[in-house]
Amino acid sequence: GAVVSQHPSWVICKSGTSVKIECRSLDFQATTMFWYRQFPKQSLMLMATSNEGSKATYEQGVEKDKFLINHASLTLSTLTVTSAHPEDSSFYICSARDTGTGVDEQFFGPGTRLTVL
Amino acid sequence: DAKTTQPPSMDCAEGRAANLPCNHSTISGNEYVYWYRQIHSQGPQYIIHGLKNNETNEMASLIITEDRKSSTLILPHATLRDTAVYYCIVRYLTGGFKTIFGAGTRLFVKA
């Protein structure tokens, strides 16, 4: 299947700083990417859907000014956690939708573990 | 909200078949049944999907009941590496394409 990468795989930051997480589709173009958050022993929660060249659509309860999403190219979406606080510590997972010829599937990245001190 | 119901956990002996049930009684005619799994601290991995016919691939088999209100994922010969959380999801193939995860089933494969 197609490959989605995330960078960094883990990050530790101080409270009040901003952190950027990158999500890349390595061998396909993704007009749509998704960002999820997962707390320990819980399921994945969809945060937002990003479409290349347009504003992201956020799920109810997700602060768009705190979780900035940019999908500037067909292979890259970024999630910036602004003014991070300890409660933002979580596992962030992105996925990309591959709509290539004969395919319409969603592939997931390996995740980024964010720890805010 | 997720449209599926799964048992929270299951055990399976190594080498035996693991049968993971899923209830999706409100599935609509155009929604597919997808299965993913998540091994600890990794991103979800696609396993299989189907609409109404049974499906099989190199990883698993998917059995969907005739009324499509439930399905079973079958791992024919479970190994220790199959220990993971398995998610059953219903989703449109196109259009309203959004994957919402429920709680999933935590499968423990024991030696």
Side-chain angles (χ1 to χ4, degrees), chain B residues 17-87:
Chain B
N19 298 290
L20 292 90
C22 179
N23 182 290
H24 33 79
S25 58
T26 62
I27 191 171
S28 68
N30 295 329
E31 286 183 308
Y32 283 68
V33 179
Y34 280 78
W35 283 83
Y36 292 86
R37 73 179 182 185
Q38 185 180 26
I39 296 171
H40 184 62
S41 295
Q42 297 182 25
Q45 176 191 20
Y46 165 82
I47 301 174
I48 199 168
H49 76 280
L51 182 62
K52 54 183 177 181
N53 297 321
N54 298 337
E55 301 287 345
T56 296
N57 62 20
E58 64 278 5
M59 287 184 69
S61 295
L62 173 60
I63 309 298
I64 303 174
T65 58
E66 191 170 343
D67 63 8
R68 302 211 321 125
K69 292 185 177 182
S70 65
S71 61
T72 300
L73 177 74
I74 301 172
L75 307 179
H77 304 287
T79 69
L80 298 179
R81 288 177 294 179
D82 292 322
T83 292
V85 179
Y86 288 77
Y87 296 99

Side-chain angles (χ1 to χ4, degrees), chain A residues 32 34 36 38 41-46 49 59 91 93 97 104-111 113, chain B residues 34 36 38 41-46 49 87 91 93-95 97-104 106:
Chain A
T32 305
F34 306 87
Y36 293 82
Q38 185 176 34
K41 298 189 177 181
Q42 294 187 23
S43 186
L44 288 79
M45 185 195 79
L46 179 64
T49 302
E59 295 298 305
F91 192 50
I93 302 170
R97 183 180 178 185
D104 192 345
E105 192 42 74
Q106 183 177 1
F107 298 94
F108 290 82
R113 186 160 303 282
Chain B
Y34 280 78
Y36 292 86
Q38 185 180 26
S41 295
Q42 297 182 25
Q45 176 191 20
Y46 165 82
H49 76 280
Y87 296 99
R91 190 180 77 197
L93 188 61
T94 59
F97 190 107
K98 194 159 68 169
T99 300
I100 304 297
F101 287 83
R106 191 171 295 272

